[in-house]
Amino acid sequence: MTKDTKTALLDAAERAVRSRGFDGFSYADLSEDVGIRKASIHYHFATKAELSAALMKRYREALQSACEEIERSSRTAAEQLSQIIEIYRLAMSEGDSLCLCVAFIGSRESLSPAAIDEITSFRKMVISVLTRIFEKGRADGSISSVQDPPKEAQAALSLMEGAQLSARAQEEPAVFDNALALLLGRLT
Amino acid sequence: MTKDTKTALLDAAERAVRSRGFDGFSYADLSEDVGIRKASIHYHFATKAELSAALMKRYREALQSACEEIERSSRTAAEQLSQIIEIYRLAMSEGDSLCLCVAFIGSRESLSPAAIDEITSFRKMVISVLTRIFEKGRADGSISSVQDPPKEAQAALSLMEGAQLSARAQEEPAVFDNALALLLGRLT
DNA sequence: TTAATTCTACCTATCAATAGGTAGTCATGA
DNA sequence: TCATGACTACCTATTGATAGGTAGAATTAA
């Protein structure tokens, strides 16, 4: 049952960060969500900094697994890329949520070094996955007019993150799809 | 001198929001920055909500003027677009700051309806400016392969915002340029 | 086998610090 | 003389965090 409470805390915290930012929720909120006393949260996560690092670590690991699975199972680069885009679309939910990484960056100054390290690792990982996909796309021809894979990767990540932000700002999930329409149009 | 203090408060608050988010600064911080007592800030802005709306309003108006100037003075659509990109690059500063709009969206749940309205107006304005630019770019040929101007506009805005976020996450302003390289490559 | 011990996962009660905000006073310049 | 713009001195609520304790499960030693 220990594990369950800890997981429940991480789940609640993740929802909170993604919808309200790191400075936008408190232990009191988590307490209410999970159903244990505020003070008891400190048993599982001594400080909010520790919680944030754990949160980002879990997120990075989950995304890493998902990416590995995508790279392993998909035939073409176009398929791989559209699956990654799908992950970001789902993370956006109904336009009320952001990728955890995006949510954290806005509160960067409040984060512990450990959490920032996790963010750095996360981005390195995603960029390298995307770079491989664009390289593959240039080779297998499933993504049109690829010239510089690393720059394409950087642009694609920025675009997906920005599209989540836009969708949220305009309170309209379809905005995400509009923003990505051009990129998707390059896929075979 | 009244105007100066009010402006100084808005300036300090804008810096604070852009680097730490809306929930990441307090009246105590502003008080220290501007050099008046915390309580005195309430004379100028009765509530933090009022301050945030004023902040966003000023930002929207400034950007609107800048866009009008760009649309009026620049010859080609390519020139216009690169000038707008330049605005977003400058807003990013050394990678430690975000466009006010981006910074606010992350803290959306904490904002007053008035501030959210301002954000909505701001985005409508930027999207319509960008749409006109892409239409012009298709007409004057200074932006290559433009098919759907509104989608291009949405994508460009998302890309610029996401690129700011990426640059900040990776603590490297050059990331912004890498993310925008593809778009800039389409300009004549 | 069982008694002593330690660990787990919470609890209540409280802390100092900080949040945003209010009331009433004082100085100053037009 | 009176509006402006600042001040001192508060307030209440909430923040993340701590101290100290407890019921019960797990471990260990005789």
Side-chain angles (χ1 to χ4, degrees):
Chain A
M1 296 302 150
T2 294
K3 192 65 178 302
D4 283 354
T5 300
K6 201 157 189 169
T7 303
L9 283 168
L10 286 171
D11 291 345
E14 183 170 331
R15 276 194 305 275
V17 171
R18 288 169 60 168
S19 67
R20 313 203 294 277
F22 182 70
D23 294 317
F25 79 99
S26 71
Y27 270 32
D29 298 326
L30 298 187
S31 156
E32 195 161 339
D33 273 19
V34 172
I36 64 172
R37 294 295 169 164
K38 207 177 55 145
S40 306
I41 301 174
H42 290 279
Y43 172 78
H44 301 280
F45 300 100
T47 63
K48 210 184 172 189
E50 191 181 315
L51 171 62
S52 68
L55 212 47
M56 198 62 218
K57 179 165 183 286
R58 185 178 75 155
Y59 190 72
R60 176 177 58 74
E61 287 169 352
L63 253 288
Q64 187 144 20
S65 298
C67 286
E68 280 162 12
E69 176 61 22
I70 287 171
E71 287 199 273
R72 205 165 40 72
S73 67
S74 295
R75 304 262 164 285
T76 67
E79 277 175 41
Q80 293 177 348
L81 184 54
S82 64
Q83 280 181 59
I84 289 190
I85 291 172
E86 187 59 20
I87 288 177
Y88 273 81
R89 189 212 315 280
L90 292 175
M92 168 192 68
S93 187
E94 305 301 318
D96 52 0
S97 183
L98 297 170
C99 151
L100 187 61
C101 180
V102 173
F104 265 137
I105 298 167
S107 322
R108 219 184 126 251
E109 314 273 325
S110 308
L111 300 178
S112 63
I116 292 181
D117 284 352
E118 282 295 340
I119 291 178
T120 304
S121 305
F122 173 82
R123 297 189 75 89
K124 275 213 184 95
M125 185 271 292
V126 176
I127 291 284
S128 74
V129 168
L130 286 172
T131 301
R132 280 197 298 278
I133 292 177
F134 278 103
E135 276 162 357
K136 185 179 164 72
R138 183 168 55 180
D140 72 12
S142 67
I143 306 176
S144 69
S145 56
V146 176
Q147 279 165 11
D148 187 330
K151 281 182 181 165
E152 291 271 11
Q154 188 63 69
L157 179 57
S158 293
L159 181 62
M160 290 189 294
E161 293 181 335
Q164 281 188 352
L165 224 51
S166 290
R168 180 173 191 182
Q170 297 173 225
E171 296 178 84
E172 175 55 64
V175 165
F176 181 90
D177 299 300
N178 280 333
L180 281 157
L182 273 90
L183 179 55
L184 284 168
R186 293 169 56 198
L187 309 185
T188 310
Chain B
M1 294 299 150
T2 295
K3 192 65 179 303
D4 283 354
T5 300
K6 201 157 190 169
T7 303
L9 283 168
L10 286 170
D11 291 345
E14 184 171 330
R15 277 194 304 274
V17 171
R18 289 169 59 167
S19 67
R20 313 202 296 276
F22 182 70
D23 294 318
F25 78 100
S26 70
Y27 269 32
D29 299 325
L30 297 187
S31 156
E32 196 162 339
D33 274 18
V34 173
I36 64 172
R37 295 291 170 171
K38 206 179 59 146
S40 307
I41 301 175
H42 290 280
Y43 172 78
H44 300 281
F45 300 100
T47 64
K48 208 184 173 188
E50 190 181 316
L51 170 62
S52 68
L55 213 46
M56 198 62 218
K57 180 165 183 286
R58 186 178 75 154
Y59 190 72
R60 176 179 57 75
E61 287 169 352
L63 254 288
Q64 186 143 20
S65 297
C67 286
E68 280 162 11
E69 176 62 21
I70 287 169
E71 286 200 274
R72 202 165 40 72
S73 67
S74 295
R75 305 264 164 281
T76 67
E79 277 175 41
Q80 293 176 349
L81 183 54
S82 64
Q83 280 182 59
I84 289 188
I85 292 172
E86 188 59 20
I87 289 176
Y88 274 81
R89 190 212 314 279
L90 292 174
M92 168 194 66
S93 188
E94 304 302 318
D96 53 0
S97 183
L98 297 170
C99 150
L100 187 61
C101 180
V102 173
F104 265 137
I105 298 167
S107 322
R108 219 183 124 250
E109 314 273 324
S110 308
L111 300 178
S112 62
I116 292 180
D117 284 352
E118 283 294 340
I119 291 177
T120 305
S121 305
F122 173 82
R123 296 189 75 89
K124 276 213 183 93
M125 186 271 292
V126 176
I127 291 285
S128 74
V129 168
L130 287 171
T131 301
R132 280 197 296 279
I133 291 177
F134 277 103
E135 276 162 357
K136 183 179 165 73
R138 183 168 55 181
D140 71 12
S142 67
I143 306 177
S144 68
S145 57
V146 175
Q147 279 165 14
D148 188 329
K151 281 182 180 165
E152 291 271 12
Q154 187 64 69
L157 179 57
S158 293
L159 181 62
M160 290 189 293
E161 293 181 336
Q164 281 189 352
L165 223 51
S166 290
R168 180 174 191 181
Q170 298 175 223
E171 296 178 83
E172 174 55 63
V175 165
F176 182 89
D177 298 300
N178 279 333
L180 282 158
L182 273 91
L183 179 55
L184 284 168
R186 292 169 57 197
L187 308 186
T188 310

